[in-house]
Amino acid sequence: MSDAVLETKGLYKAYGPRTVISDMNISLPAGKIIGLLGPNGCGKTTLIKLAAGLLTPTDGEILVCGRQPDEVTRSFVSYLPERTYLSGSMTPRSAVGFFSDFYDDFDSSRACSMMAHLGVDPDAKLKTLSKGTKEKLQLILVMSRAARLYLLDEPIGGVDPAAREYILRTIISNYAENSTVLISTHLISDIETVLDDFLFMRGGGIVMQSSVDGAREKYGKSIDELFREVYRC
Amino acid sequence: MLGKLLKYDMRSLRRILLPLVLGAPAVALLCAMALRLTIALSIAESQNPAFIALTMTTSLFVTVSIIAVIASPVVAVIFIMMHFYRSLYSDEGYLTFTLPLKTHDILNSKIISGVVWVVISSVSFLASGAIIVMLGTTTDTLLNTGVLQVLSELAKEMLFGAPASAYAVIMCVNAVSSQVFLITTLALSITIGSIISKKHKALSGVAIYYLLNSASSFLSGTVSFLFTLAAFNGSENFAALTYTTMSAPLVGIIFNFGLSAAAYIACCYLMKNRLNLE
């Protein structure tokens, strides 16, 4: 069996006649923070949803720690979608209780501490919170798990720059040594410093996969600059 | 894990449906008082314009509140299905389907909580009806003693009379099996609607439900017809009629549970193998 945390073999996903992922073959190792980078509509979110088990592949395979996504992989995959998935009637405190009930690897005290740091009112109804605060809360919940694979879809897109820094620090300080963090974002300059590896996606496929240091050395550019060059309109 | 999810589903439905199941008897109580007043006013036969206006107002209130009481179980089913759709196929589905739960546990929780609340809303509806009939249809006493007597004799017969009590049990099981069938068919319809449609998932679910319901009605009608035909076997005797009357709910139970099982298996398969939260 492969040691890869996330692996795809000839993965293909289409929505009706529109192909979103085409013949993708990747293998992501454990213990890395990996950036999933690319322009809008290149298939980043689809790949993450396939890994989370929210989409069914049209063809090929996607494996999480050697298993097709199921209830077992969900117990060690921590997924942050690009939208609010918590009910508006919940409060941050009840959301912590909910995660605590379902995930054995969830650390309630860490979640409460992060909520206090980021100024999230634990007793406010979610429907009364701003979009940014809801995003912060969801990230807190997701990063309070000791998961083997974190799937973060646009984790810093909706938060202010000051909170971004805290969130990135949170990601770095909270993931375990053998865990992998896959971050999809277009805010490359913000996250470049925390990444070990990156994947550039275009048209449903991978156009470049490298370590951040390796790419900097090879091309003499930052990942942000490289991204602008690769995706120049 | 099923127990935990069931706890959250029951809590979520309670928040929406408790006001409805408590509100229906409360409206029925007001309706009964208005009905008593309407009857008393009509007995008085006064031509006083104030009397006439009051009679019209109370009559209107009675009509509206009876419609509200009749609509309450329908509204309950709509809320249950909205909860099912929202927690599985809208944004909240991103959380539900990433919980470490087996697909059948997720479906079981939704169906059990849905059936429990449909049964509660049916009981609330029956209690509301009883309140209107018992309290609202008399002006002489607190309760309508005539109706009370008929109901108590009926209850006595059903509880202590051997064939009647067996029939009452069968009718109750039949009623519950209908609710199970209703919820599983709606769950399957919404699941199919969410898979085949991108923009109007809930609307597609309603259309699928209409089709499935029409097909099952046709099937049950055909089965009932064939069953009656076989029971009579060309003769028109009373024993065959009694046999048909007594056995029809039993056939209904088997039919409802059979179709519910088929809908459940289909729904579980689709949720497991065709899930696409775009």
Side-chain angles (χ1 to χ4, degrees), chain B residues 55-97:
Chain B
T55 308
M56 284 174 72
T57 308
T58 52
S59 302
L60 185 66
F61 180 78
V62 167
T63 309
V64 170
S65 51
I66 286 175
I67 290 170
V69 167
I70 291 170
S72 67
V74 180
V75 173
V77 170
I78 291 170
F79 280 161
I80 289 166
M81 283 307 105
M82 277 168 63
H83 169 73
F84 183 86
Y85 171 76
R86 211 177 43 234
S87 62
L88 293 182
Y89 301 113
S90 72
D91 290 352
E92 286 176 35
Y94 284 72
L95 179 60
T96 309
F97 281 114

Side-chain angles (χ1 to χ4, degrees), chain A residues 107-140:
Chain A
D107 185 342
S108 303
S109 54
R110 186 196 285 179
C112 292
S113 153
M114 282 198 268
M115 275 175 10
H117 253 278
L118 283 169
V120 178
D121 178 1
D123 297 312
K125 290 268 184 203
L126 253 68
K127 59 187 165 201
T128 65
L129 299 178
S130 69
K131 188 171 177 281
T133 310
K134 283 182 206 163
E135 287 187 7
K136 280 182 205 169
L137 173 66
Q138 288 191 168
L139 186 73
I140 288 167

Side-chain angles (χ1 to χ4, degrees), chain B residues 103-109 111 184-185 187-188 258-271:
Chain B
T103 311
H104 61 79
D105 279 341
I106 295 173
L107 186 58
N108 288 347
S109 173
I111 288 176
T184 46
T185 313
L188 176 63
L259 284 186
S260 300
Y264 175 87
I265 291 166
C267 191
C268 214
Y269 173 81
L270 292 173
M271 283 166 70

Side-chain angles (χ1 to χ4, degrees), chain B residues 183-239:
Chain B
I183 297 295
T184 46
T185 313
L186 278 165
L188 176 63
S189 307
I190 291 171
T191 301
I192 295 174
S194 301
I195 290 168
I196 62 169
S197 178
K198 280 179 186 166
K199 286 184 179 168
H200 306 290
K201 294 179 178 185
L203 204 61
S204 303
V206 172
I208 299 285
Y209 175 73
Y210 179 74
L211 288 175
L212 288 178
N213 198 37
S214 303
S216 73
S217 299
F218 175 75
L219 198 62
S220 72
T222 309
V223 168
S224 300
F225 176 72
L226 292 173
F227 180 74
T228 312
L229 210 63
F232 277 90
N233 199 20
S235 66
E236 291 182 9
N237 60 62
F238 184 71

Side-chain angles (χ1 to χ4, degrees), chain A residues 196-200 208-216 219:
Chain A
D196 295 312
D197 292 356
F198 70 92
L199 298 165
F200 277 174
M208 191 183 285
Q209 178 173 6
S210 167
S211 71
V212 169
D213 292 340
R216 279 194 194 123
Y219 299 102

Side-chain angles (χ1 to χ4, degrees), chain A residues 13 15-16 49 52-56 71 74-75 79 81-90 94 97-99 101-104, chain B residues 1 4-5 7-8 12 15 86 90-103 106 198 272-278:
Chain A
K13 178 67 190 173
Y15 297 128
K49 282 189 192 176
L54 295 174
L55 293 175
T56 310
E71 69 279 1
R74 284 177 210 135
S75 67
Y79 167 62
E82 83 289 15
R83 61 188 75 200
T84 305
Y85 64 3
L86 297 168
S87 166
S89 61
M90 274 182 160
S94 66
F98 184 89
F99 268 64
D101 268 348
F102 287 102
Y103 298 110
D104 294 336
Chain B
M1 281 292 188
K4 286 178 184 173
L5 191 59
K7 178 184 83 176
Y8 282 99
S12 182
R15 197 172 43 81
R86 211 177 43 234
S90 72
D91 290 352
E92 286 176 35
Y94 284 72
L95 179 60
T96 309
F97 281 114
T98 48
L99 293 172
L101 295 166
K102 288 189 167 72
T103 311
I106 295 173
K198 280 179 186 166
K272 196 174 170 67
N273 300 297
R274 293 283 181 270
L275 180 67
N276 277 307
L277 291 185
E278 290 180 32

